[in-house]
Amino acid sequence: MTTYAVTGATGHLGRLVVEELLSRGVPAADVVAIARTPEKAADLAELGVQVREGDYDRPETLPAALDGVQRLLLVSGSEPGVRVPQHTAVIDAARAAGVERIAYTSILNADDTTNPLAGEHQATEQVLRASGLAVTLLRNGWYTENYTDRIAEYVERGEIVGAAADGKVSAAPRADFAGAAAGALLADDAAPGADGAAPVVVHELGGPVFTFTELASTISDVTGAPVAYRDLSVEAFAAELQQAGLDAGTAGFVAGIDAAIAAGDLETDSDALVRLSGRPATPLADAVRAARG
């Protein structure tokens, strides 16, 4: 039997992937939930899932966490600036433990994106390609929760402010990406290449596209409150963010993400999300309704 492991298993995405694997018939005993704080996964342990401690910042915890694992989902860390050494520690431990394949949650259009978040993902992809292991790159687009978690703010202000122009975002809820990750772990699509090199499978993952204007319109339709999109230049948006209390570096970073959206870096026409998850992607309006409760 194949043993599947998921890092960050108590996080928003990791927990959903564990639940997806179970819902697809993987025996709980064949699923390893790796968490920095195993106590937070007590409910998974009660289902029969193997819960193990694994901390990206404590490499000594990783060999035991990965013992006997064949397929691993490496959920990217949540702390910008330290993710490459964190991910490298997991990859090194996986190779030493005999893991056969690693799937990694990267960023959409990683090959040529200008997204300021991309650097650590690109570096991690390089480490994975050099690892000698079979690799599946799950290049995730934006989660709709990036926006639906802020609906109350948008409604109170009556506007969404940004610098994305008419750029489109291929977004979906985390649950959709979790379905795709589970599908990728279960798939047998990583046959060795003709040159004998370890295979690398790349999936560009994104949901239905929308602009910020369409996002504002959808929120208005669902909530009944008028919300409009106010577009600014990247420089003006960064200045407004600073006026709202962000430091200059953070403001420039956030505005840079919108500039990447304007450039089309968070848009894809790939159907991989649907193929891997085995179900239609969630429309934006449904995601907004769900967030409203």
Side-chain angles (χ1 to χ4, degrees):
M1 298 294 291
T2 301
T3 298
Y4 303 88
V6 178
T7 69
T10 57
H12 292 300
L13 181 66
R15 178 177 288 273
L16 290 171
V17 176
V18 171
E19 293 172 353
E20 279 280 345
L21 290 171
L22 298 178
S23 72
R24 293 178 185 225
V26 178
D30 295 333
V31 178
V32 177
I34 299 174
R36 178 180 298 177
T37 308
E39 293 77 12
K40 294 182 178 179
D43 58 325
L44 297 176
E46 290 176 359
L47 296 175
V49 172
Q50 300 183 56
V51 176
R52 302 178 183 175
E53 180 183 12
D55 188 334
Y56 296 169
D57 292 320
R58 296 171 57 222
E60 67 273 14
T61 66
L62 299 174
L66 295 171
D67 182 50
V69 171
Q70 283 80 49
R71 297 186 183 184
L72 169 67
L73 174 66
L74 170 55
V75 177
S76 59
S78 59
E79 303 170 63
V82 298
R83 286 186 282 198
V84 177
Q86 288 179 335
H87 298 163
T88 300
V90 177
I91 295 164
D92 288 345
R95 184 174 56 241
V99 171
E100 297 169 1
R101 187 185 341 157
I102 299 181
Y104 169 66
T105 58
S106 188
I107 194 168
L108 189 63
N109 297 317
D111 289 331
D112 52 17
T113 183
T114 60
N115 193 313
L117 284 168
E120 289 176 300
H121 291 295
Q122 293 164 336
T124 299
E125 288 193 7
Q126 292 174 0
V127 175
L128 284 165
R129 290 177 187 274
S131 71
L133 300 174
V135 173
T136 301
L137 299 176
L138 302 171
R139 291 177 170 174
N140 287 356
W142 251 211
Y143 304 137
T144 50
E145 286 88 346
N146 291 350
Y147 306 112
T148 57
D149 285 353
R150 300 177 63 189
I151 288 175
E153 171 194 338
Y154 297 148
V155 168
E156 181 179 358
R157 292 176 55 125
E159 65 178 6
I160 299 170
V161 182
D166 293 325
K168 296 179 180 179
V169 180
S170 297
R174 286 190 185 93
D176 289 4
F177 287 99
L185 282 176
L186 294 170
D188 292 317
D189 60 353
D195 59 359
V200 177
V201 178
V202 179
H203 297 294
E204 303 286 352
L205 301 174
V209 298
F210 57 83
T211 65
F212 278 17
T213 297
E214 291 167 338
L215 171 64
S217 176
T218 301
I219 292 173
S220 296
D221 291 342
V222 171
T223 65
V227 177
Y229 173 56
R230 178 162 62 93
D231 190 61
L232 302 173
S233 68
V234 173
E235 295 75 17
F237 184 37
E240 186 156 319
L241 290 170
Q242 287 186 69
Q243 291 175 1
L246 295 185
D247 62 80
T250 302
F253 187 88
V254 173
I257 291 175
D258 271 21
I261 292 173
D265 292 355
L266 282 171
E267 178 184 4
T268 181
D269 60 3
S270 168
D271 67 348
L273 185 77
V274 172
R275 285 190 291 102
L276 290 172
S277 67
R279 57 181 182 256
T282 303
L284 176 61
D286 289 355
V288 173
R289 291 189 192 97
R292 289 286 289 175

PDB file of all heavy atoms in Angstrom, residues 144-164:
ATOM      1  N   THR A 144      -9.763  32.281  -3.606  1.00  0.00           N
ATOM      2  CA  THR A 144     -10.801  33.314  -3.528  1.00  0.00           C
ATOM      3  C   THR A 144     -10.925  33.862  -2.109  1.00  0.00           C
ATOM      4  O   THR A 144     -11.375  34.998  -1.912  1.00  0.00           O
ATOM      5  CB  THR A 144     -12.170  32.782  -3.993  1.00  0.00           C
ATOM      6  OG1 THR A 144     -12.457  31.548  -3.329  1.00  0.00           O
ATOM      7  CG2 THR A 144     -12.210  32.570  -5.489  1.00  0.00           C
ATOM      8  N   GLU A 145     -10.484  33.082  -1.118  1.00  0.00           N
ATOM      9  CA  GLU A 145     -10.528  33.570   0.261  1.00  0.00           C
ATOM     10  C   GLU A 145      -9.672  34.817   0.450  1.00  0.00           C
ATOM     11  O   GLU A 145      -9.903  35.587   1.396  1.00  0.00           O
ATOM     12  CB  GLU A 145     -10.059  32.477   1.233  1.00  0.00           C
ATOM     13  CG  GLU A 145     -11.044  31.350   1.453  1.00  0.00           C
ATOM     14  CD  GLU A 145     -10.902  30.209   0.460  1.00  0.00           C
ATOM     15  OE1 GLU A 145     -10.217  30.405  -0.583  1.00  0.00           O
ATOM     16  OE2 GLU A 145     -11.465  29.131   0.698  1.00  0.00           O
ATOM     17  N   ASN A 146      -8.681  35.032  -0.435  1.00  0.00           N
ATOM     18  CA  ASN A 146      -7.890  36.269  -0.353  1.00  0.00           C
ATOM     19  C   ASN A 146      -8.795  37.490  -0.436  1.00  0.00           C
ATOM     20  O   ASN A 146      -8.455  38.572   0.085  1.00  0.00           O
ATOM     21  CB  ASN A 146      -6.873  36.322  -1.496  1.00  0.00           C
ATOM     22  CG  ASN A 146      -5.773  35.290  -1.349  1.00  0.00           C
ATOM     23  OD1 ASN A 146      -5.652  34.646  -0.321  1.00  0.00           O
ATOM     24  ND2 ASN A 146      -4.967  35.137  -2.393  1.00  0.00           N
ATOM     25  N   TYR A 147      -9.924  37.319  -1.105  1.00  0.00           N
ATOM     26  CA  TYR A 147     -10.876  38.418  -1.280  1.00  0.00           C
ATOM     27  C   TYR A 147     -12.146  38.223  -0.459  1.00  0.00           C
ATOM     28  O   TYR A 147     -12.637  39.171   0.160  1.00  0.00           O
ATOM     29  CB  TYR A 147     -11.229  38.557  -2.764  1.00  0.00           C
ATOM     30  CG  TYR A 147     -10.010  38.710  -3.639  1.00  0.00           C
ATOM     31  CD1 TYR A 147      -9.637  37.711  -4.540  1.00  0.00           C
ATOM     32  CD2 TYR A 147      -9.190  39.833  -3.541  1.00  0.00           C
ATOM     33  CE1 TYR A 147      -8.497  37.832  -5.322  1.00  0.00           C
ATOM     34  CE2 TYR A 147      -8.047  39.964  -4.319  1.00  0.00           C
ATOM     35  CZ  TYR A 147      -7.704  38.954  -5.209  1.00  0.00           C
ATOM     36  OH  TYR A 147      -6.573  39.086  -5.973  1.00  0.00           O
ATOM     37  N   THR A 148     -12.676  37.008  -0.428  1.00  0.00           N
ATOM     38  CA  THR A 148     -13.943  36.810   0.284  1.00  0.00           C
ATOM     39  C   THR A 148     -13.787  36.995   1.789  1.00  0.00           C
ATOM     40  O   THR A 148     -14.742  37.352   2.472  1.00  0.00           O
ATOM     41  CB  THR A 148     -14.543  35.422  -0.018  1.00  0.00           C
ATOM     42  OG1 THR A 148     -13.596  34.396   0.335  1.00  0.00           O
ATOM     43  CG2 THR A 148     -14.882  35.289  -1.490  1.00  0.00           C
ATOM     44  N   ASP A 149     -12.578  36.794   2.319  1.00  0.00           N
ATOM     45  CA  ASP A 149     -12.361  37.055   3.746  1.00  0.00           C
ATOM     46  C   ASP A 149     -12.432  38.545   4.066  1.00  0.00           C
ATOM     47  O   ASP A 149     -12.499  38.916   5.253  1.00  0.00           O
ATOM     48  CB  ASP A 149     -10.995  36.512   4.183  1.00  0.00           C
ATOM     49  CG  ASP A 149     -10.971  34.997   4.310  1.00  0.00           C
ATOM     50  OD1 ASP A 149     -12.043  34.365   4.190  1.00  0.00           O
ATOM     51  OD2 ASP A 149      -9.871  34.433   4.509  1.00  0.00           O
ATOM     52  N   ARG A 150     -12.426  39.382   3.028  1.00  0.00           N
ATOM     53  CA  ARG A 150     -12.441  40.832   3.245  1.00  0.00           C
ATOM     54  C   ARG A 150     -13.772  41.472   2.812  1.00  0.00           C
ATOM     55  O   ARG A 150     -13.862  42.686   2.681  1.00  0.00           O
ATOM     56  CB  ARG A 150     -11.292  41.469   2.463  1.00  0.00           C
ATOM     57  CG  ARG A 150      -9.914  40.960   2.856  1.00  0.00           C
ATOM     58  CD  ARG A 150      -8.822  41.577   2.010  1.00  0.00           C
ATOM     59  NE  ARG A 150      -8.743  43.023   2.191  1.00  0.00           N
ATOM     60  CZ  ARG A 150      -7.995  43.825   1.445  1.00  0.00           C
ATOM     61  NH1 ARG A 150      -7.277  43.314   0.441  1.00  0.00           N
ATOM     62  NH2 ARG A 150      -7.972  45.120   1.673  1.00  0.00           N
ATOM     63  N   ILE A 151     -14.789  40.642   2.617  1.00  0.00           N
ATOM     64  CA  ILE A 151     -16.063  41.175   2.129  1.00  0.00           C
ATOM     65  C   ILE A 151     -16.608  42.253   3.057  1.00  0.00           C
ATOM     66  O   ILE A 151     -17.078  43.304   2.597  1.00  0.00           O
ATOM     67  CB  ILE A 151     -17.088  40.032   1.955  1.00  0.00           C
ATOM     68  CG1 ILE A 151     -16.721  39.175   0.742  1.00  0.00           C
ATOM     69  CG2 ILE A 151     -18.501  40.606   1.780  1.00  0.00           C
ATOM     70  CD1 ILE A 151     -17.608  37.966   0.555  1.00  0.00           C
ATOM     71  N   ALA A 152     -16.559  42.026   4.344  1.00  0.00           N
ATOM     72  CA  ALA A 152     -17.092  43.018   5.285  1.00  0.00           C
ATOM     73  C   ALA A 152     -16.379  44.358   5.122  1.00  0.00           C
ATOM     74  O   ALA A 152     -17.012  45.426   5.162  1.00  0.00           O
ATOM     75  CB  ALA A 152     -16.959  42.512   6.718  1.00  0.00           C
ATOM     76  N   GLU A 153     -15.073  44.302   4.943  1.00  0.00           N
ATOM     77  CA  GLU A 153     -14.299  45.529   4.726  1.00  0.00           C
ATOM     78  C   GLU A 153     -14.717  46.224   3.434  1.00  0.00           C
ATOM     79  O   GLU A 153     -14.909  47.447   3.406  1.00  0.00           O
ATOM     80  CB  GLU A 153     -12.814  45.182   4.670  1.00  0.00           C
ATOM     81  CG  GLU A 153     -11.899  46.318   4.249  1.00  0.00           C
ATOM     82  CD  GLU A 153     -10.509  45.841   3.887  1.00  0.00           C
ATOM     83  OE1 GLU A 153     -10.104  44.745   4.338  1.00  0.00           O
ATOM     84  OE2 GLU A 153      -9.819  46.560   3.131  1.00  0.00           O
ATOM     85  N   TYR A 154     -14.861  45.449   2.365  1.00  0.00           N
ATOM     86  CA  TYR A 154     -15.252  46.033   1.086  1.00  0.00           C
ATOM     87  C   TYR A 154     -16.627  46.687   1.179  1.00  0.00           C
ATOM     88  O   TYR A 154     -16.860  47.779   0.639  1.00  0.00           O
ATOM     89  CB  TYR A 154     -15.271  44.972  -0.015  1.00  0.00           C
ATOM     90  CG  TYR A 154     -13.940  44.329  -0.314  1.00  0.00           C
ATOM     91  CD1 TYR A 154     -13.878  43.000  -0.742  1.00  0.00           C
ATOM     92  CD2 TYR A 154     -12.734  45.024  -0.193  1.00  0.00           C
ATOM     93  CE1 TYR A 154     -12.663  42.393  -1.037  1.00  0.00           C
ATOM     94  CE2 TYR A 154     -11.524  44.424  -0.491  1.00  0.00           C
ATOM     95  CZ  TYR A 154     -11.491  43.104  -0.912  1.00  0.00           C
ATOM     96  OH  TYR A 154     -10.305  42.506  -1.208  1.00  0.00           O
ATOM     97  N   VAL A 155     -17.541  46.009   1.850  1.00  0.00           N
ATOM     98  CA  VAL A 155     -18.902  46.538   1.974  1.00  0.00           C
ATOM     99  C   VAL A 155     -18.910  47.811   2.816  1.00  0.00           C
ATOM    100  O   VAL A 155     -19.586  48.798   2.492  1.00  0.00           O
ATOM    101  CB  VAL A 155     -19.831  45.468   2.591  1.00  0.00           C
ATOM    102  CG1 VAL A 155     -21.165  46.079   3.004  1.00  0.00           C
ATOM    103  CG2 VAL A 155     -20.049  44.322   1.601  1.00  0.00           C
ATOM    104  N   GLU A 156     -18.131  47.808   3.896  1.00  0.00           N
ATOM    105  CA  GLU A 156     -18.077  48.996   4.754  1.00  0.00           C
ATOM    106  C   GLU A 156     -17.511  50.193   4.006  1.00  0.00           C
ATOM    107  O   GLU A 156     -18.025  51.317   4.132  1.00  0.00           O
ATOM    108  CB  GLU A 156     -17.229  48.702   5.987  1.00  0.00           C
ATOM    109  CG  GLU A 156     -17.134  49.888   6.944  1.00  0.00           C
ATOM    110  CD  GLU A 156     -16.302  49.573   8.172  1.00  0.00           C
ATOM    111  OE1 GLU A 156     -15.833  48.422   8.303  1.00  0.00           O
ATOM    112  OE2 GLU A 156     -16.109  50.486   9.002  1.00  0.00           O
ATOM    113  N   ARG A 157     -16.470  49.958   3.219  1.00  0.00           N
ATOM    114  CA  ARG A 157     -15.833  51.042   2.466  1.00  0.00           C
ATOM    115  C   ARG A 157     -16.622  51.416   1.218  1.00  0.00           C
ATOM    116  O   ARG A 157     -16.499  52.529   0.709  1.00  0.00           O
ATOM    117  CB  ARG A 157     -14.422  50.629   2.044  1.00  0.00           C
ATOM    118  CG  ARG A 157     -13.440  50.485   3.178  1.00  0.00           C
ATOM    119  CD  ARG A 157     -12.104  49.971   2.665  1.00  0.00           C
ATOM    120  NE  ARG A 157     -11.592  50.808   1.599  1.00  0.00           N
ATOM    121  CZ  ARG A 157     -10.405  51.378   1.599  1.00  0.00           C
ATOM    122  NH1 ARG A 157      -9.609  51.216   2.638  1.00  0.00           N
ATOM    123  NH2 ARG A 157      -9.993  52.109   0.589  1.00  0.00           N
ATOM    124  N   GLY A 158     -17.363  50.451   0.687  1.00  0.00           N
ATOM    125  CA  GLY A 158     -18.082  50.662  -0.566  1.00  0.00           C
ATOM    126  C   GLY A 158     -17.191  50.573  -1.784  1.00  0.00           C
ATOM    127  O   GLY A 158     -17.609  50.926  -2.894  1.00  0.00           O
ATOM    128  N   GLU A 159     -15.985  50.063  -1.590  1.00  0.00           N
ATOM    129  CA  GLU A 159     -15.069  49.966  -2.722  1.00  0.00           C
ATOM    130  C   GLU A 159     -13.950  48.976  -2.450  1.00  0.00           C
ATOM    131  O   GLU A 159     -13.640  48.632  -1.297  1.00  0.00           O
ATOM    132  CB  GLU A 159     -14.456  51.328  -3.048  1.00  0.00           C
ATOM    133  CG  GLU A 159     -13.556  51.892  -1.962  1.00  0.00           C
ATOM    134  CD  GLU A 159     -12.933  53.218  -2.353  1.00  0.00           C
ATOM    135  OE1 GLU A 159     -13.265  53.767  -3.418  1.00  0.00           O
ATOM    136  OE2 GLU A 159     -12.090  53.720  -1.570  1.00  0.00           O
ATOM    137  N   ILE A 160     -13.378  48.500  -3.554  1.00  0.00           N
ATOM    138  CA  ILE A 160     -12.131  47.746  -3.540  1.00  0.00           C
ATOM    139  C   ILE A 160     -11.103  48.629  -4.233  1.00  0.00           C
ATOM    140  O   ILE A 160     -11.356  49.127  -5.335  1.00  0.00           O
ATOM    141  CB  ILE A 160     -12.269  46.415  -4.302  1.00  0.00           C
ATOM    142  CG1 ILE A 160     -13.343  45.538  -3.656  1.00  0.00           C
ATOM    143  CG2 ILE A 160     -10.945  45.679  -4.375  1.00  0.00           C
ATOM    144  CD1 ILE A 160     -13.718  44.319  -4.485  1.00  0.00           C
ATOM    145  N   VAL A 161      -9.990  48.854  -3.603  1.00  0.00           N
ATOM    146  CA  VAL A 161      -8.955  49.719  -4.167  1.00  0.00           C
ATOM    147  C   VAL A 161      -7.777  48.855  -4.583  1.00  0.00           C
ATOM    148  O   VAL A 161      -7.349  47.950  -3.853  1.00  0.00           O
ATOM    149  CB  VAL A 161      -8.487  50.775  -3.148  1.00  0.00           C
ATOM    150  CG1 VAL A 161      -7.449  51.692  -3.774  1.00  0.00           C
ATOM    151  CG2 VAL A 161      -9.675  51.574  -2.638  1.00  0.00           C
ATOM    152  N   GLY A 162      -7.245  49.103  -5.767  1.00  0.00           N
ATOM    153  CA  GLY A 162      -6.109  48.319  -6.227  1.00  0.00           C
ATOM    154  C   GLY A 162      -5.430  48.941  -7.417  1.00  0.00           C
ATOM    155  O   GLY A 162      -5.748  50.071  -7.821  1.00  0.00           O
ATOM    156  N   ALA A 163      -4.509  48.187  -7.988  1.00  0.00           N
ATOM    157  CA  ALA A 163      -3.762  48.654  -9.161  1.00  0.00           C
ATOM    158  C   ALA A 163      -3.693  47.540 -10.203  1.00  0.00           C
ATOM    159  O   ALA A 163      -2.701  47.416 -10.925  1.00  0.00           O
ATOM    160  CB  ALA A 163      -2.360  49.091  -8.751  1.00  0.00           C
ATOM    161  N   ALA A 164      -4.750  46.741 -10.268  1.00  0.00           N
ATOM    162  CA  ALA A 164      -4.758  45.576 -11.157  1.00  0.00           C
ATOM    163  C   ALA A 164      -5.300  45.887 -12.541  1.00  0.00           C
ATOM    164  O   ALA A 164      -5.274  45.013 -13.416  1.00  0.00           O
ATOM    165  CB  ALA A 164      -5.578  44.454 -10.528  1.00  0.00           C
TER     166      ALA A 164
END
